[in-house]
Amino acid sequence: MGKIKLMFPDDSVKEFDNGSSVFDVAKSISTSLAKKAVAGKLDGKMVAINTPIEKDAKIEIITQGSDDANIVMWNSAALLLTAAIEDIYQDVEFGEIGNIEHGFYADTDKKDQQISVDELPAIQDRMKEMVSEKIELKPSKIAVDEALKQVDGDPYQAQIIKRNAVDGQIQIYKVKDHVIVSDAVVLPNSGDVKALKLLSVAGAYWEGKSSNPMLQRIYGTAFFKQKDLEAEIERQKEARERDHRVIGNNLDLFFVDPKVGAGLPYWMPNGATIRRTIERYIIDKEVNNGYQHVYTPILMNLDAYKTSGHWQHYREDMFPPMDMGDGEMLELRPMNCPSHIQVYKHHIRSYRELPIRIAELGMMHRYEKSGALSGLQRVREMTLNDGHTFVAPEQIQDEFKQILQLMVEVYKDFDITDYSFRLSYRDPKNTEKYFDDDEMWNHSQSMLKGAMDDLGLDYVEAEGEAAFYGPKLDVQTKTALGNEETLSTIQLDFMLPKQFDLHYVGADGEEHRPVMIHRGLVSTMERFTAYLTEIYKGAFPTWLAPKQVTIIPVKDDVHGEYADQLKAKMVKENIRAEVDHRNEKMGYKIREAQTQKIPYILVVGDSEVADDSVSVRKYGQDDSKNESSDVFVNNLVDEIANYSRESK
């Protein structure tokens, strides 16, 4: 038997017998490692723990407690879920199965009636029986023709088989009598699935397309330890309470009606107030930092996007062009950069003007699949807090620092503290996605990295995360639902100034090429509002709250006039106040104001009218205090001006 060489993450190299498995390798290191091992990676590709290794490779052993181990667990649970459903029901067809963040799922189509949430306990019990039976979960390859016979006319499975076949074969797992098509890496035995729970059901279009049939997606999660399952259940409970879609409905912030347009949110007065406050804040902030705000059309000639490269590299995310009938093709813009380039090109520019900072709350449109849409976070129409700076090459680092400083100030005002930096580079092997200019990429990536190093900031580097025309600094945040997303970006671009032939006249009287810096401080208004809704749990700080004060007269016919006078005084100070004149009990009005998470509840009765005072209850507090109306208003004005931070 020949030998193979395996390189470990610490760069050490060891020899093993050809055909040794990941488990054999782990056991040769230590018995404890073998007990914790669940799978492996060979040259970065995940493989099952019993996979024979037949050539030299870089190896990584995946152990319990890691993110990769959880993926293996969830793949395994998805197999058990599929087999359990087939055990219980005779008329079910299956779409995709697999893992998602925090769990697993299976898409089903039950001919007479879809599986309901009430049926999940029975399915879960059957899965647990399979766990106790310790069924071997071993992959095998069979011919496509044989696989099509095995799925017995299931149209979804037939499409999956044809789509995933390699060299006329497909990978399957046999779970007792059930043949399940899957190319996933799973645990060797069903008994290794220690703790599981089915969670919910929801609709999911086949292949994510609204034109396809709606399937029933069953969600679950599973872990190696019961305590980890319990922690995940608690996390999901908290996530549901913070879900911006739920809060948005409860606080009447926005709605999306698929009948009039999926992914096209309608902003109700409360949500529109929050958005308007954010927009006014960010425009003032940018203008004070030297940005010139503009308005540009949401339509543009398709030729501009061909020049920019969006059409070549981004076409699948763009809406179809509109033929105007005279040879002109107009396109709903997916990005604002070509529009701001036109603003720059409208005049001859001098080096004395640089840097030129152009900003806009620019509306854009993306051709998102129906299955990807989610509340305000993934939409088809969005308004980006966008900015582009045109600089001379020697100004890049100073401008980068200034943008980053502005970003940090904005985060402070919104009380955003949990974020990290990611330098996003191109994948040099992906010549289709990324603009083909090695010199440009190497130069711009080294400049971005150098600027971060000069600032002494910690960051991670991510290959393949750049935009097609340049590297970028991404500011990554965690949503309340536990997902990582990009909140802000700063991006160097040497390509578009060249593509659009941009110039400025230098001190020498000659034409020079500017560098373009793209930046977005707070993403889109839609995504940022969703993010804030979740981190605040709907209890917006006073300066952002759609309703800042509600005034409740003890007796409307006696104290209502005083309440209206208080409101008028506050409105003069741009405080968003309302009077609850409804013919309801005071206790009911107070509870409803608390449910709506209004920052301040003022109750006014005889003593308040006599003393020109208010009884103040702050959201989240049980106690009330009495103070003069002038003191309350002055303090509130100060609180709003300081973005609801404590005055120093």
Side-chain angles (χ1 to χ4, degrees):
M1 181 179 290
K3 296 289 186 179
I4 55 172
K5 292 182 178 180
L6 299 179
M7 179 182 285
F8 291 82
D10 63 357
D11 292 334
S12 63
V13 178
K14 294 183 180 180
E15 280 195 344
F16 294 88
D17 291 334
N18 191 314
S20 297
S21 68
V22 175
F23 178 78
D24 295 330
V25 174
K27 191 174 181 181
S28 74
I29 298 172
S30 73
T31 303
S32 62
L33 178 62
K35 286 182 179 179
K36 293 188 293 184
V38 299
K41 283 186 177 179
L42 297 178
D43 293 331
K45 182 181 179 182
M46 192 180 292
V47 297
I49 195 168
N50 293 323
T51 299
I53 309 171
E54 298 174 337
K55 63 178 183 179
D56 296 350
K58 291 182 178 179
I59 188 171
E60 179 183 344
I61 296 170
I62 297 171
T63 57
Q64 295 180 25
S66 67
D67 291 341
D68 285 332
N70 287 337
I71 289 173
V72 176
M73 167 64 74
W74 296 330
N75 288 338
S76 310
L79 290 184
L80 300 186
L81 172 59
T82 305
I85 292 170
E86 282 193 332
D87 254 6
I88 297 173
Y89 306 102
Q90 304 301 313
D91 57 349
V92 180
E93 296 169 340
F94 290 91
E96 302 282 358
I97 69 167
N99 69 81
I100 54 171
E101 196 167 20
H102 307 301
F104 61 92
Y105 72 94
D107 288 345
T108 65
D109 192 5
K110 191 163 172 283
K111 294 177 181 177
D112 55 349
Q113 187 177 0
Q114 298 287 23
I115 296 170
S116 72
V117 68
D118 296 333
E119 298 171 86
L120 296 188
I123 300 172
Q124 179 175 293
D125 288 345
R126 184 68 192 100
M127 291 175 69
K128 290 182 176 179
E129 289 174 13
M130 291 179 173
V131 170
S132 64
E133 291 168 11
K134 298 185 177 180
I135 304 162
E136 184 181 19
L137 303 177
K138 186 177 180 180
S140 60
K141 298 285 182 70
I142 63 173
V144 168
D145 290 345
E146 178 61 25
L148 291 172
K149 290 178 184 177
Q150 294 280 1
V151 300
D152 194 24
D154 184 325
Y156 309 112
Q157 288 293 292
Q159 288 186 54
I160 292 171
I161 290 169
K162 294 172 183 176
R163 182 203 310 153
N164 295 343
V166 177
D167 298 329
Q169 291 191 312
I170 195 78
Q171 179 173 292
I172 64 162
Y173 287 90
K174 207 164 186 182
V175 184
K176 300 191 74 174
D177 297 329
H178 307 293
V179 174
I180 302 172
V181 176
S182 174
D183 59 3
V185 173
V186 304
L187 298 166
N189 192 288
S190 67
D192 297 325
V193 181
K194 301 299 184 183
L196 67 88
K197 184 173 180 61
L198 295 184
L199 300 169
S200 61
V201 298
Y205 289 113
W206 168 240
E207 296 182 326
K209 298 178 181 177
S210 58
S211 57
N212 285 342
M214 173 75 78
L215 306 184
Q216 191 80 334
R217 177 165 291 184
I218 299 174
Y219 291 99
T221 193
F223 290 90
F224 294 95
K225 297 178 181 179
Q226 182 65 30
K227 68 175 184 179
D228 292 334
L229 175 63
E230 292 170 359
E232 174 59 19
I233 298 303
E234 185 61 31
R235 187 203 68 78
Q236 292 198 19
K237 178 184 176 184
E238 174 71 9
R240 285 192 297 273
E241 292 176 356
R242 289 184 180 271
D243 191 327
H244 80 279
R245 294 166 297 183
V246 175
I247 295 172
N249 181 62
N250 292 341
L251 300 186
D252 201 22
L253 304 182
F254 74 96
F255 71 89
V256 179
D257 187 346
K259 293 178 182 177
V260 294
L264 302 173
Y266 285 73
W267 295 79
M268 297 298 285
N270 286 344
T273 299
I274 295 169
R275 172 173 170 165
R276 185 169 59 251
T277 304
I278 296 170
E279 290 177 343
R280 288 173 174 171
Y281 163 86
I282 206 69
I283 290 173
D284 288 346
K285 197 80 172 174
E286 289 173 337
V287 169
N288 289 338
N289 278 268
Y291 285 86
Q292 304 173 63
H293 257 262
V294 299
Y295 295 98
T296 59
I298 63 169
L299 289 169
M300 202 172 198
N301 193 297
L302 181 60
D303 289 342
Y305 296 113
K306 290 180 178 179
T307 301
S308 70
H310 287 97
W311 185 246
Q312 295 88 324
H313 296 274
Y314 203 70
R315 186 184 311 183
E316 64 182 23
D317 295 308
M318 297 169 66
F319 279 92
M322 290 172 273
D323 189 343
M324 304 307 293
D326 55 0
E328 183 182 29
M329 302 292 287
L330 293 181
E331 176 67 33
L332 280 168
R333 69 177 174 195
M335 298 284 189
N336 300 310
C337 14
S339 299
H340 293 180
I341 285 172
Q342 297 306 315
V343 173
Y344 178 91
K345 288 186 71 173
H346 189 63
H347 296 296
I348 297 172
R349 302 295 183 174
S350 164
Y351 74 97
R352 298 179 187 277
E353 297 177 76
L354 302 183
I356 293 174
R357 304 180 183 99
I358 298 171
E360 179 179 12
L361 294 174
M363 183 180 289
M364 311 183 307
H365 292 79
R366 304 278 174 86
Y367 190 76
E368 296 277 7
K369 292 182 179 179
S370 297
L373 300 173
S374 177
L376 292 177
Q377 284 177 329
R378 291 292 293 271
V379 294
R380 287 175 171 155
E381 178 185 275
M382 65 218 72
T383 299
L384 181 64
N385 163 230
D386 211 356
H388 297 90
T389 304
F390 299 87
V391 299
E394 63 271 15
Q395 296 173 323
I396 288 175
Q397 189 161 321
D398 286 343
E399 186 65 17
F400 180 87
K401 291 177 181 178
Q402 183 168 327
I403 294 171
L404 195 55
Q405 180 59 42
L406 175 59
M407 208 174 267
V408 170
E409 288 177 12
V410 170
Y411 285 7
K412 181 180 178 183
D413 289 341
F414 285 98
D415 197 24
I416 298 169
T417 56
D418 186 10
Y419 59 88
S420 60
F421 297 114
R422 181 184 75 187
L423 288 182
S424 297
Y425 303 147
R426 69 161 174 169
D427 177 357
K429 298 175 185 176
N430 192 341
T431 55
E432 290 187 9
K433 178 179 178 182
Y434 298 106
F435 182 68
D436 189 14
D437 186 333
D438 288 342
E439 183 180 354
M440 180 276 287
W441 280 101
N442 293 336
H443 180 53
S444 57
Q445 289 179 178
S446 64
M447 290 195 75
L448 205 58
K449 179 175 170 55
M452 290 297 288
D453 290 339
D454 287 345
L455 290 167
L457 297 171
D458 293 329
Y459 58 88
V460 298
E461 298 172 281
E463 191 174 273
E465 294 294 333
F468 72 85
Y469 46 73
K472 56 181 177 172
L473 170 70
D474 289 323
V475 183
Q476 301 297 107
T477 60
K478 281 280 189 180
T479 69
L481 304 183
N483 302 315
E484 184 177 86
E485 68 176 30
T486 300
L487 186 60
S488 307
T489 60
I490 308 174
Q491 182 173 344
L492 295 187
D493 186 352
F494 293 78
M495 186 201 90
L496 288 185
K498 181 179 178 181
Q499 294 292 94
F500 284 93
D501 195 25
L502 302 186
H503 301 97
Y504 64 90
V505 179
D508 57 3
E510 300 295 323
E511 289 188 339
H512 298 268
R513 183 88 67 202
V515 177
M516 190 173 177
I517 302 178
H518 308 246
R519 49 105 287 201
L521 295 182
V522 293
S523 185
T524 66
M525 293 300 101
E526 290 76 12
R527 180 170 289 184
F528 192 53
T529 302
Y531 172 76
L532 294 178
T533 301
E534 292 181 355
I535 65 169
Y536 297 143
K537 210 172 180 177
F540 291 91
T542 306
W543 78 280
L544 270 179
K547 297 174 183 175
Q548 296 167 327
V549 180
T550 186
I551 308 166
I552 301 174
V554 175
K555 294 181 179 179
D556 196 64
D557 57 341
V558 178
H559 313 114
E561 184 178 351
Y562 176 64
D564 288 334
Q565 291 170 0
L566 285 174
K567 175 184 173 181
K569 181 189 295 187
M570 290 183 224
V571 169
K572 277 187 178 180
E573 299 293 340
N574 295 315
I575 295 169
R576 296 186 285 274
E578 63 175 16
V579 179
D580 192 340
H581 285 296
R582 293 176 300 165
N583 186 25
E584 301 284 356
K585 292 182 178 179
M586 187 173 67
Y588 173 83
K589 293 180 181 181
I590 292 173
R591 286 192 300 273
E592 190 170 79
Q594 290 173 328
T595 300
Q596 291 297 302
K597 304 186 180 185
I598 298 172
Y600 289 99
I601 302 171
L602 307 185
V603 177
V604 293
D606 290 341
S607 61
E608 286 77 24
V609 172
D611 301 338
D612 190 16
S613 64
V614 289
S615 176
V616 184
R617 177 182 293 187
K618 193 169 185 178
Y619 176 77
Q621 299 179 0
D622 294 329
D623 297 332
S624 301
K625 66 176 182 178
N626 195 274
E627 59 188 32
S628 80
S629 64
D630 286 342
V631 168
F632 173 78
V633 171
N634 290 337
N635 287 342
L636 188 53
V637 168
D638 183 63
E639 179 182 343
I640 293 168
N642 284 283
Y643 306 112
S644 301
R645 296 194 294 261
E646 293 292 329
S647 299
K648 292 183 180 180

